[in-house]
Amino acid sequence: MEIYLYIALFAPLVGSLFSALFGASPKTKVTGIVASGLLFVSFVSSSILLSYVLGGHTVHVEMMTWMATGDLYIPFGFVVDQVSVVMMMVVTIVSTVVHVYSIGYMDHDKGFNRFFSYLSAFVFSMMVLVMSDNFLGLFIGWEGVGLCSWLLIGFWYHKESATWAANEAFIMNRIADLAMLVGIFMLYWNLGSLQYDVVFANITTLPVVVITWIGIFLFIGAMGKSAQFPLHTWLADAMEGPTPVSALIHAATMVTAGVYLVVRANPIYSEIPNMGLFIASLGAFVALFAASMALVNRDMKRIIAYSTLSQLGYMFVAAGLGAYWVALFHLMAHAFFKALLFLGAGNVMHAMHDELDPFKMGGLRKVMKGTFIMMTLASVALAGIYPFAGFFSKDLILEVAFVDHHYIIYSVLLFTAMLTAFYSFRLVALIFHGEERYKLFGIHPHEAYKFMLIAMAPLLVLAIIAGAFKGSYYQLVTSLLPSGEYHVHSIATYWIMTIGTQLLVLAAIAFAYKKYSSWSSVPDGTSALEQSFGYKLLANQYYIPWFYEEVFSKTYRKLSHCLWKEIDLKIVDAMVDGIAGVVYKTGEKTHKIQNGNLSDMLRWMVIGLVILMLFAVGFSVLAMFAQAQVEFVRIYIGELVLGIGLVLVAVSVLLVTYHAASIRKTGKGR
């Protein structure tokens, strides 16, 4: 099975390197085809490994020694177990679809070859992250994902907004990654190893306070990668990248890494009192927080991005409450319908000449039937309607909160589910229903290439049926993760909760359709609603980006400018320039010494020797007076006598040399 592990891991890397060979060349579809084919090969290998793991086996390989010095030993090791194989399947399925889709989406882009090189490298980094058998290997993949996200978000680097968004994502994640690195250092410092099996077997030997700090630092890293408050602002701005990138980031790679870290490190978090409750509370807050911002947003991709942020909150609620297998299940189900939503949004963008405001669309179901069906069904899955995948995973998280008696968290998630249904179908209604408002802007929409729709079809199927695999999935992952089952004890209560949730969600969908399905105008920002404080608060993301800009960014720029003017220029540069000036002037004054005259050069050598001897004598005298003890005085008297003797010899040599030079100059003595 080792060969399949290597194929699954390195096939995306080969695709990236192959595409990089043509990075500066004109567009050639062969790069997209080869990269997509290699991703499919990785998917097939992952499927074979899944069947092997389902038989109760794992694959653990040590490819080579990476670091070995003293007690430190870290190999390039990879493991395919019940958790990593689920992530491998999610990553390869979604990535293969995204790669095939991108062949059509990036068809007219000059950076076609470069795009596929970055995209495949993105997938390879994620595979390293989920397949590593130690925390440092995970961190390497973690940083690789961050680098590739920077390259892809800022792919259209000629746009200032794209480069700004890429830098924001990169810097925000570096803040979190520093904390994560501290957590990894603490693990090694206290346990002497970073291997998962060693760490998890010995974590209980550490004091609770040490485990707590390790868990906190690791979770800060997860907060940055999964865009949890307050490190969340980069996620919506990351929509500046090409839409396939958004699909990959939100469904299968970057933002899911934080959830994976918490799930993988569950033995650590299980030992920390109240840490799980904090994670769950933060997740519930983020779920509602993000959903509220999606209610009024007028950017199609940002609405879907806020949806991702909200669903990540659901996942952290499950993980925080100890239902790690539920968090991973929702991660898997969410990946399919969220990737489908983003790719559908990409079709709409192409049809609308990159327009993102859904209020400028309307009636697109007439010309984009395939995209309309797919985005509608993906929204149904996102809303959690039975029997779609979202119903099984989201309702299970609600059930976990209810069974554990966290009724406030349950209420927040239930309300968030209603908001999710509302803004999802607000988007569908504005894009595909109502009057054809795009005609006001002279746009002539068209459906995407057929092969792009065909490529999206597997995601549609999985968004519908993934929930049916809940039983086999549970048996697979609970052999490694805690196996708690969450069932409401009363059947009547269960049905009341389930039916009630479905009715509330359907009511939200009906309200969204009633309000927006016949929309005929384009808001200009002057209506009473748009002028209200609540609307502006949500539209401006609670003014958090403004706060960051005013308090942190501007303060940092002012401090940097002050340090540059007052410290760098006036002190550091002045010292450097002063030293350089002294050296230059000294050289200018003393270069006459090197005149080629042997007598003059010998004279200067003797002068230098005398100066050195005087320094030696001076230091000896100072040392002698600085020491009051007799033994030391005796020692320094001897040094002083030796120094004086050397000075006398030097002076004698100087006088003889000077006299000889004088005789030679006057010609006497010949």
Side-chain angles (χ1 to χ4, degrees):
M1 285 292 123
E2 291 186 15
I3 187 64
Y4 294 110
L5 183 150
Y6 290 129
I7 292 173
L9 176 63
F10 290 108
L13 177 61
V14 175
S16 176
L17 296 175
F18 177 81
S19 300
L21 293 175
F22 304 93
S25 305
K27 185 202 75 161
T28 170
K29 284 191 177 181
V30 68
T31 56
I33 294 172
V34 170
S36 303
L38 287 168
L39 256 295
F40 182 74
V41 169
S42 180
F43 160 69
V44 172
S45 296
S46 299
S47 301
I48 295 171
L49 290 168
L50 173 63
S51 65
Y52 184 70
V53 173
L54 283 170
H57 309 285
T58 60
V59 184
H60 192 180
V61 300
E62 184 176 312
M63 191 171 69
M64 65 181 73
T65 299
W66 182 13
M67 298 181 187
T69 174
D71 294 332
L72 176 63
Y73 176 74
I74 301 175
F76 269 120
F78 301 96
V79 61
V80 178
D81 57 19
Q82 292 80 358
V83 171
S84 61
V85 76
V86 172
M87 290 297 297
M88 289 167 63
M89 291 299 297
V90 171
V91 171
T92 54
I93 290 172
V94 175
S95 300
T96 301
V97 170
V98 169
H99 272 69
V100 175
Y101 175 91
S102 298
I103 296 174
Y105 189 89
M106 301 297 291
D107 186 40
H108 302 292
D109 198 287
K110 294 181 180 179
F112 184 91
N113 300 335
R114 179 168 56 92
F115 177 81
F116 276 93
S117 178
Y118 295 166
L119 202 65
S120 293
F122 201 5
V123 179
F124 169 69
S125 298
M126 189 64 186
M127 294 293 278
V128 171
L129 190 156
V130 301
M131 295 175 67
S132 290
D133 68 347
N134 62 84
F135 280 97
L136 197 56
L138 178 146
F139 187 74
I140 295 302
W142 193 275
E143 292 303 297
V145 167
L147 171 62
C148 293
S149 68
W150 178 75
L151 293 171
L152 287 165
I153 294 170
F155 181 77
W156 290 315
Y157 53 84
H158 55 277
K159 293 170 56 180
E160 184 177 352
S161 59
T163 57
W164 188 91
N167 290 336
E168 181 191 23
F170 192 80
I171 293 169
M172 194 75 77
N173 276 274
R174 295 293 72 69
I175 296 170
D177 292 355
L178 176 61
M180 181 181 173
L181 196 58
V182 171
I184 292 174
F185 284 155
M186 290 184 68
L187 280 173
Y188 178 75
W189 183 265
N190 289 279
L191 296 175
S193 176
L194 294 175
Q195 299 296 115
Y196 291 150
D197 50 357
V198 176
V199 169
F200 298 151
N202 295 280
I203 193 67
T204 55
T205 63
L206 300 181
V208 174
V209 65
V210 175
I211 304 175
T212 301
W213 278 112
I214 290 172
I216 290 172
F217 283 123
L218 291 179
F219 183 65
I220 292 173
M223 287 171 61
K225 200 65 74 181
S226 292
Q228 296 297 284
F229 178 87
L231 304 175
H232 66 282
T233 55
W234 69 267
L235 190 62
D237 293 332
M239 297 303 97
E240 289 291 337
T243 303
V245 174
S246 304
L248 205 54
I249 287 176
H250 288 249
T253 53
M254 189 159 174
V255 298
T256 61
V259 179
Y260 171 77
L261 173 62
V262 175
V263 171
R264 174 60 80 177
N266 72 88
I268 296 176
Y269 290 102
S270 298
E271 298 297 323
I272 305 175
N274 300 319
M275 183 70 180
L277 182 58
F278 169 78
I279 294 174
S281 301
L282 178 64
F285 166 75
V286 170
L288 179 60
F289 172 73
S292 65
M293 291 187 288
L295 293 175
V296 302
N297 201 277
R298 290 181 56 173
D299 185 309
M300 175 175 56
K301 289 177 64 177
R302 283 176 178 263
I303 293 171
I304 304 175
Y306 287 131
S307 170
T308 299
L309 184 55
S310 182
Q311 298 307 304
L312 287 167
Y314 275 86
M315 297 174 205
F316 278 112
V317 167
L321 297 180
Y324 298 102
W325 70 270
V326 178
L328 192 61
F329 184 52
H330 189 49
L331 184 156
M332 178 183 68
H334 171 265
F336 302 137
F337 54 74
K338 186 50 58 69
L340 186 60
L341 273 174
F342 267 112
L343 298 183
N347 291 347
V348 174
M349 281 185 64
H350 265 200
M352 293 295 296
H353 302 169
D354 293 334
E355 179 57 60
L356 289 167
D357 188 352
F359 284 96
K360 296 180 180 179
M361 301 177 189
L364 286 178
R365 71 182 188 279
K366 299 175 183 178
V367 293
M368 303 183 70
K369 293 182 180 179
T371 300
F372 163 63
I373 293 172
M374 289 187 175
M375 287 194 70
T376 302
L377 294 178
S379 298
V380 171
L382 174 59
I385 302 297
Y386 180 85
F388 287 74
F391 167 80
F392 293 94
S393 59
K394 281 179 64 176
D395 273 32
L396 192 55
I397 296 174
L398 288 168
E399 198 170 344
V400 168
F402 189 86
V403 170
D404 282 352
H405 309 293
H406 296 289
Y407 300 118
I408 295 177
I409 292 177
Y410 171 80
S411 301
V412 170
L413 295 183
L414 181 60
F415 183 61
T416 301
M418 294 173 55
L419 297 183
T420 301
F422 175 80
Y423 68 67
S424 297
F425 281 90
R426 166 182 176 263
L427 184 63
V428 171
L430 286 172
I431 294 174
F432 297 106
H433 299 276
E435 295 186 10
E436 299 165 343
R437 298 180 297 278
Y438 58 83
K439 291 182 178 179
L440 299 174
F441 305 95
I443 297 175
H444 303 284
H446 56 84
E447 183 60 281
Y449 296 131
K450 287 185 178 180
F451 81 86
M452 295 170 67
L453 296 176
I454 294 172
M456 295 164 62
L459 295 177
L460 176 62
V461 173
L462 289 168
I464 297 172
I465 69 170
F469 299 106
K470 175 184 170 183
S472 56
Y473 162 83
Y474 175 80
Q475 293 179 355
L476 171 67
V477 300
T478 52
S479 58
L480 186 63
L481 299 176
S483 58
E485 293 192 53
Y486 303 90
H487 298 297
V488 178
H489 298 299
S490 171
I491 296 178
T493 304
Y494 170 78
W495 282 110
I496 291 172
M497 288 173 53
T498 302
I499 295 173
T501 301
Q502 292 290 288
L503 290 175
L504 289 173
V505 168
L506 289 171
I509 294 173
F511 179 65
Y513 261 111
K514 182 178 179 181
K515 185 174 179 62
Y516 295 105
S517 62
S518 58
W519 199 272
S520 59
S521 62
V522 180
D524 58 3
T526 60
S527 67
L529 176 63
E530 293 170 310
Q531 290 297 313
S532 65
F533 173 75
Y535 186 96
K536 289 183 177 179
L537 186 68
L538 297 178
N540 289 284
Q541 306 173 56
Y542 293 93
Y543 294 97
I544 293 174
W546 173 86
F547 176 79
Y548 286 174
E549 175 67 22
E550 294 296 322
V551 175
F552 295 110
S553 299
K554 287 188 177 180
T555 302
Y556 179 77
R557 284 196 293 268
K558 288 179 180 178
L559 178 62
S560 299
H561 186 268
C562 178
L563 292 175
W564 170 63
K565 294 281 288 186
E566 303 299 328
I567 305 297
D568 195 39
L569 291 180
K570 294 183 179 180
I571 298 179
V572 177
D573 283 2
M575 289 177 60
V576 173
D577 293 342
I579 293 172
V582 170
V583 172
Y584 178 79
K585 289 181 180 180
T586 302
E588 191 177 42
K589 297 293 185 182
T590 59
H591 77 279
K592 296 178 181 179
I593 296 174
Q594 301 293 333
N595 59 4
N597 188 299
L598 182 61
S599 298
D600 290 343
M601 293 169 68
L602 184 60
R603 185 183 301 115
W604 283 112
M605 289 172 62
V606 173
I607 291 173
L609 180 61
V610 170
I611 292 173
L612 289 176
M613 293 300 103
L614 288 175
F615 271 116
V617 172
F619 282 126
S620 298
V621 172
L622 289 174
M624 182 182 66
F625 284 110
Q627 301 292 337
Q629 297 181 14
V630 177
E631 293 296 329
F632 287 94
V633 172
R634 290 176 180 175
I635 294 172
Y636 285 115
I637 287 176
E639 292 183 357
L640 178 62
V641 172
L642 177 62
I644 293 173
L646 290 174
V647 170
L648 291 175
V649 172
V651 171
S652 301
V653 172
L654 175 64
L655 291 175
V656 171
T657 304
Y658 181 78
H659 181 67
S662 300
I663 294 174
R664 182 183 176 189
K665 187 174 182 180
T666 57
K668 296 178 181 180
R670 287 186 179 180

